[in-house]
Amino acid sequence: MSTKSILNETSIAFLESYLNNASPTGYESEGQKLWMNYLQPYVDTFITDTYGTAVGVINPDAPFKVVIEGHADEISWYVNYITDDGLLYVIRNGGSDHQIAPSKRVNIHTKNGIVKGVFGWPAIHTRLRDKEEVPKLSNIFIDLGCETKEQVEAMGVHVGCVITYPDEFMILNENKFVCRAIDNRMGGFMIAEVARLLHENKKTLPFGLYIVNSVQEEIGLRGAEMIAHTIKPNVAIVTDVCHDTNTPMIDKKVEGDLKMGKGPVIAYSPAIQNKLRDLIVDTAEENKIPFQRHATSRATGTDTDAFAYSNGGVASALISLPLRYMHTTVEMVHRDDVENVIQLIYESLLKIENNQTFSYFK
């Protein structure tokens, strides 16, 4: 299968609408509806749970269960405090970056719809020349153009309202996808494309395939933790993003040497089941899919950990997408890597056998 043929115009149109839609942690349901609508022609049924994880299932009656997984949520902010003169102070919902906040426009999600605001910041002329204050959680604030707390509340804004950035999808220099929330709605997109390819290529799997779009990854892998107990899978292949370490100010001795455009990243970690990882590496080599390796120490920091350590242990592996500028509004990935992750997951599924144990003792 040529990587050039994987994404089509319909795929890209879905990706754009899916990325542009806000799905902050804890509020993923509208994005999940878009995702399920796209996936619906390619699966037999859906599972959803109390907190909003969505699962498309192929062969739901099969006893052997394989998961492919991404997460649906994006980092955001919560309104934490409203001053008497109508300014908002915030706390994180996930790993939101305080340093990128000043001068950013924001969407505040209320029962009455979106309220617009901006992260204000003192003008350069007014800041102390000898020791400038840097942005930090205690000094960044949002201005809605209101003069009093009462005006803010009259707009439907209250403590606990969630805040996202409005930045939207663009393609840079023909083959770089740029948007907020590529971490990790691109994962949800890629697993949906795997399902589409299985359907279009009329592939029949000997096991049940669970295409899982988990919620609440950004605050501790919580959605994966919940759905792993619901599905009780035998195997899980997770896809998330990892750092492109070839931009300035990143130490490769600490973060490893990974580069956007050089292929999917296969993880090495105690949570990764070695035989499943070897199957994925063999698949990449046999299909001439370029790939990179990444050692993640004691934890991967992704939903892989939640699946691996559930249900007495689930054979799990992680295929990552190299990303520049994680947790900013200009996250960037290479189209070739996106297509190669899709192909690698697709081909790996075709290589997994029904009832395969991955036991180290056989």
Side-chain angles (χ1 to χ4, degrees), residues 33 36 52 71 83-84 120 142 172 181 191 213 269 275 281-282 295 319 336 342:
K33 290 172 189 174
M36 292 167 74
H71 72 81
T83 69
D84 290 341
I142 291 173
L172 205 60
I191 59 176
N213 210 8
S269 167
K275 289 200 168 186
V281 169
D282 291 346
I319 301 171
D336 289 355
I342 293 165

Side-chain angles (χ1 to χ4, degrees), residues 39-221:
L39 191 62
Q40 192 273 327
Y42 313 127
V43 298
D44 297 322
T45 188
F46 283 99
I47 300 168
T48 56
D49 73 7
T50 308
Y51 279 87
T53 290
V55 185
V57 188
I58 297 170
N59 303 337
D61 297 327
F64 192 74
K65 300 174 183 178
V66 176
V67 159
I68 57 174
E69 193 260 11
H71 72 81
D73 58 316
E74 66 182 286
I75 56 171
S76 56
W77 301 99
Y78 280 121
V79 177
N80 187 47
Y81 173 64
I82 306 171
T83 69
D84 290 341
D85 51 359
L87 299 175
L88 312 182
Y89 285 82
V90 298
I91 57 171
R92 293 185 177 93
N93 184 20
S96 300
D97 189 344
H98 51 279
Q99 292 212 34
I100 70 158
S103 86
K104 289 297 299 178
R105 301 173 191 223
V106 296
N107 288 337
I108 301 171
H109 299 259
T110 78
K111 283 186 177 177
N112 307 330
I114 298 291
V115 172
K116 296 285 186 180
V118 298
F119 271 109
W121 193 244
I124 188 171
H125 320 68
T126 66
R127 303 200 299 266
L128 290 173
R129 303 301 190 275
D130 57 339
K131 189 183 177 191
E132 282 200 310
E133 279 247 43
V134 296
K136 49 191 184 231
L137 200 58
S138 59
N139 67 12
I140 57 174
F141 62 91
I142 291 173
D143 190 333
L144 303 184
C146 294
E147 289 154 31
T148 65
K149 183 176 183 178
E150 289 71 28
Q151 286 181 359
V152 171
E153 291 173 339
M155 297 173 85
V157 176
H158 55 75
V159 169
C161 282
V162 73
I163 303 156
T164 58
Y165 295 117
D167 302 67
E168 295 195 335
F169 176 80
M170 68 175 177
I171 298 176
L172 205 60
N173 192 24
E174 297 185 354
N175 57 13
K176 313 302 186 307
F177 297 151
V178 176
C179 198
R180 41 151 264 293
I182 285 177
D183 174 15
N184 181 36
R185 281 213 281 293
M186 190 62 79
F189 169 75
M190 292 188 298
I191 59 176
E193 290 297 276
V194 171
R196 177 177 67 82
L197 293 177
L198 289 168
H199 178 83
E200 289 179 356
N201 296 329
K202 296 180 171 56
K203 298 294 183 182
T204 301
L205 298 172
F207 46 74
L209 181 64
Y210 291 70
I211 301 118
V212 178
N213 210 8
S214 296
V215 298
Q216 300 195 24
E217 187 273 349
E218 296 290 357
I219 51 96
L221 323 181

